[in-house]
């Protein structure tokens, strides 16, 4: 089966094969860092791409970027071997996987002293700008909404809901109850840096009620995914710091929730999102499979006959997405003109760089295929720097975004 080897760097016409994992993507402040598993069957063969994944270089520490990427690539060979076993040699070594003609492997070996010095100076300038920015401003997540008859993507028309300066609001989910809109969201006080779940009521004029805390645990909570099953409302908040996926049942709407069960134990999972399709429940969740990689890079899929179970079958194609640009969930999966649309986060360059709409084309117990449709970046408002979630229900569409807020005004 030839020689199997890793390549780090973009597979362009001059393919970078970095000796130091993630070095060039970090110091050049690239939006993504690419890792690949390549195979050469003979000396003269063009390598085929057996597995490939995209990560976000860490903003401040190259060693953290390197560590996360190194942990992730430990899964590449087992995944490729599994695919070889399942597909067979002929399909696995399909020529369509080969590097395009004209692409060659260029070794980027350990940089010279002068190049290293230039990189350090460039990074020092970057850090200085960030430090000065943080001295005078605070990064704060806010909510933005639009009320109209149908689901809205007219983002320039969205109105802002800005919390007080001592906290942020993010990850909004909607529930329409007795003719009124309720928004469940992550509320994080800057003094504790620990999120809890709160709720507010939003009327047709855009007036909001005072937020109420509805779920607060000793560990961080966010992304309060809501769904109804057998006339009962449930919530799956993100609780990755507690190493589980928890399910809460609504005992009294909207502010009383009780723990029902754990859907998974001893996992590091984020932004769990369920979909009922073809008489099965499908669980989409971002995971850190090796307890050292980023939660933004890889999307895993599981299925079960009921959402009230801890027996979830892993999809054989896991991870179904291994790309920081579109892996992590960003809200409810919804139908649009008969198409199943999965919102996902674009965490390239920086967390909250944008979000995407992806069409799920094939979803079964053996196959998964999705197509990227569009990418939304916060370019309609010069004061909005990041966005990373999208939800719509009964004429209300809501997203979150990040602003820079002056600390002293």
């Amino acid at each position: 089966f030839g020689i199997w080897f890793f390549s780090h760097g973009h597979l362009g016409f001059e393919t970078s094969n970095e000796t130091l994992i993630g070095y060039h993507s970090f110091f050049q402040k690239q939006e993504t860092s690419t890792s690949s598993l390549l195979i050469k069957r003979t000396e003269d063969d063009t390598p085929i791409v057996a597995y490939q994944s995209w990560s976000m270089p860490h903003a401040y520490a190259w060693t953290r970027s390197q560590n996360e990427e190194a942990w992730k690539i430990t899964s590449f060979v087992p995944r490729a071997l599994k695919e070889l076993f399942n597909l067979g040699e002929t399909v696995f070594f399909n020529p369509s996987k080969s590097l395009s003609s004209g692409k060659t492997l260029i070794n980027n070996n350990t940089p010279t002293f002068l190049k290293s010095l230039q990189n350090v100076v460039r990074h020092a300038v970057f850090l200085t700008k960030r430090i000065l920015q943080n001295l005078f401003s605070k990064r704060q997540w806010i909510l933005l909404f639009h009320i109209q008859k149908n689901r809205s993507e007219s983002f320039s028309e969205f109105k802002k809901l800005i919390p007080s300066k001592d906290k942020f609001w993010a990850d909004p989910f909607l529930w329409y109850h007795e003719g009124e809109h309720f928004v469940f969201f992550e509320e994080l006080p800057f003094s504790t840096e620990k999120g809890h779940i709160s709720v507010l009521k939003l009327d047709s004029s855009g007036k909001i009620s005072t937020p109420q805390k509805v779920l607060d645990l000793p560990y961080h909570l966010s992304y309060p995914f809501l769904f109804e099953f057998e006339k009962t409302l449930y919530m799956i908040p993100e609780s990755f710091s507690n190493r589980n996926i928890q399910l809460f049942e609504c005992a009294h709407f909207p502010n009383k929730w009780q723990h029902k069960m754990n859907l998974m134990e001893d996992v590091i999972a984020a932004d769990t999102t369920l979909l009922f399709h073809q008489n099965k429940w499908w669980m989409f969740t971002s995971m850190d499979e090796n307890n050292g990689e980023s939660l933004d890079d890889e999307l895993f899929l599981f299925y079960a006959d009921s959402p009230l179970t801890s027996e979830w079958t892993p999809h054989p194609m896991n991870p179904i997405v291994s790309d920081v640009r579109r892996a992590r969930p960003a809200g409810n999966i919804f139908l649009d003109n008969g198409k199943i649309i999965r919102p996902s986060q674009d965490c390239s360059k920086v967390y909250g760089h944008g979000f995407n709409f992806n069409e799920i084309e094939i979803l079964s117990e053996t196959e998964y295929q999705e197509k990227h449709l569009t990418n939304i970046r916060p370019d309609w408002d010069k004061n909005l720097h990041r966005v990373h979630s999208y939800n719509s229900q009964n004429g209300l569409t809501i997203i979150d975004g990040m602003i820079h807020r002056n600390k002293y005004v």
Side-chain angles (χ1 to χ4, degrees):
F1 298 124
I3 302 296
W4 297 37
F5 60 100
F6 293 112
S7 173
H8 304 283
H10 293 283
L11 293 178
F13 284 100
E14 290 187 350
T15 299
S16 174
N17 187 24
E18 298 181 356
T19 303
L20 303 176
I21 299 175
Y23 180 89
H24 295 86
S25 56
F26 173 79
F27 282 107
Q28 293 172 13
K29 303 304 174 191
Q30 295 174 356
E31 290 193 0
T32 58
S33 177
T34 310
S35 290
S36 308
L37 174 63
L38 304 181
I39 301 175
K40 279 178 72 73
R41 302 199 72 182
T42 69
E43 184 176 351
D44 297 327
D45 277 354
T46 301
I48 73 159
V49 182
Y51 204 89
Q52 192 170 45
S53 180
W54 291 263
S55 306
M56 176 187 72
H58 194 265
Y60 301 112
W62 167 51
T63 50
R64 180 168 173 180
S65 294
Q66 185 183 47
N67 210 37
E68 289 179 352
E69 201 163 337
W71 272 113
K72 184 169 65 171
I73 67 174
T74 63
S75 298
F76 288 8
V77 170
R79 291 173 187 172
L81 287 172
K82 181 181 177 182
E83 186 178 8
L84 172 60
F85 178 81
N86 290 331
L87 297 180
E89 183 177 349
T90 302
V91 176
F92 182 80
F93 287 101
N94 192 307
S96 65
K97 293 183 178 181
S98 299
L99 291 178
S100 300
S101 59
K103 293 183 178 180
T104 55
L105 288 173
I106 306 297
N107 289 319
N108 286 330
N109 296 316
T110 305
T112 64
F113 172 78
L114 181 59
K115 186 63 177 179
S116 296
L117 184 61
Q118 291 173 342
N119 287 333
V120 169
V121 171
R122 184 186 296 113
H123 188 57
V125 171
F126 168 81
L127 290 178
T128 301
K129 288 180 179 178
R130 284 291 182 95
I131 292 170
L132 291 174
Q133 185 183 69
N134 293 338
L135 284 176
F136 299 101
S137 66
K138 188 79 174 179
R139 291 190 286 273
Q140 183 183 40
W141 286 91
I142 66 171
L143 307 182
L144 302 94
F145 72 95
H146 192 214
I147 298 175
Q148 65 174 37
K149 184 178 180 180
N150 300 314
R151 185 178 65 85
S152 176
E153 294 179 29
S154 304
F155 300 111
S156 61
E157 300 176 14
F158 279 44
K159 297 179 181 178
K160 296 176 181 177
L161 298 177
I162 302 178
S164 56
K165 294 176 67 173
D166 61 338
K167 61 176 68 76
F168 75 57
W169 294 345
D171 292 345
F173 281 80
L174 303 174
W175 200 256
Y176 193 67
H177 181 75
E178 296 181 351
E180 296 181 301
H181 291 286
F182 290 82
V183 183
F184 292 81
F185 58 96
E186 173 196 355
E187 185 172 49
L188 185 143
F190 291 127
S191 59
T192 64
E193 292 292 331
K194 181 182 76 68
H196 57 259
I197 305 303
S198 292
V199 65
L200 59 81
K201 187 165 58 177
L202 179 63
D203 66 22
S204 58
S205 67
K207 184 179 179 181
I208 66 171
S209 65
T210 302
Q212 299 179 49
K213 186 187 297 185
V214 299
L215 191 59
D216 190 13
L217 297 173
Y219 40 86
H220 177 79
L221 298 175
S222 60
Y223 200 85
F225 174 80
L226 302 169
F227 71 99
E228 190 174 42
F229 178 67
E230 296 181 345
K231 298 183 179 181
T232 301
L233 182 62
Y234 295 94
M235 178 193 297
I236 305 176
E238 178 187 293
S239 56
F240 76 86
S241 58
N242 199 45
R243 297 185 66 93
N244 56 21
I245 300 177
Q246 297 179 307
L247 179 69
F248 288 83
E249 180 180 331
C250 185
H252 185 272
F253 188 86
N255 54 9
K256 188 174 181 181
W257 297 81
Q258 59 190 24
H259 182 258
K260 177 74 173 177
M261 63 183 298
N262 288 347
L263 302 182
M264 287 191 184
E265 301 272 6
D266 195 28
V267 293
I268 303 176
D271 300 348
T272 299
T273 305
L274 300 189
L275 172 68
F276 184 66
H277 177 68
Q278 294 181 343
N279 296 317
K280 285 198 178 293
W281 286 88
W282 304 87
M283 176 193 289
F284 296 77
T285 188
S286 287
M287 282 187 164
D288 172 1
E289 188 179 39
N290 297 310
N291 196 18
E293 60 190 273
S294 171
L295 271 170
D296 303 331
D297 290 7
E298 298 193 318
L299 179 67
F300 287 75
L301 179 61
F302 303 84
Y303 60 90
D305 293 327
S306 167
L308 309 185
T309 181
S310 59
E311 301 296 323
W312 290 86
T313 303
H315 197 278
M317 292 181 65
N318 276 336
I320 55 172
V321 179
S322 187
D323 188 340
V324 72
R325 297 169 295 185
R326 61 179 183 89
R328 189 164 175 167
N332 278 294
I333 299 170
F334 60 90
L335 287 176
D336 184 32
N337 294 321
K339 297 179 178 180
I340 306 174
I341 306 300
R342 185 183 74 88
S344 67
Q345 299 182 42
D346 180 354
C347 295
S348 61
K349 188 176 182 179
V350 66
Y351 180 75
H353 193 41
F355 62 85
N356 314 277
F357 292 136
N358 311 280
E359 179 188 351
I360 297 177
E361 297 179 303
I362 301 175
L363 176 59
S364 72
E365 295 176 21
T366 57
E367 293 182 279
Y368 182 84
Q369 181 176 304
E370 70 175 32
K371 176 175 64 177
H372 177 259
L373 298 178
T374 186
N375 181 274
I376 291 90
R377 301 273 175 87
D379 53 8
W380 64 87
D381 185 340
K382 65 179 181 180
N383 296 315
L384 197 63
H385 300 278
R386 305 184 195 180
V387 290
H388 83 340
S389 71
Y390 178 95
N391 276 298
S392 186
Q393 188 186 68
N394 284 78
L396 173 62
T397 302
I398 195 161
I399 63 175
D400 57 8
M402 195 192 74
I403 60 173
H404 290 168
R405 193 162 176 181
N406 194 303
K407 288 183 177 180
Y408 308 104
V409 177

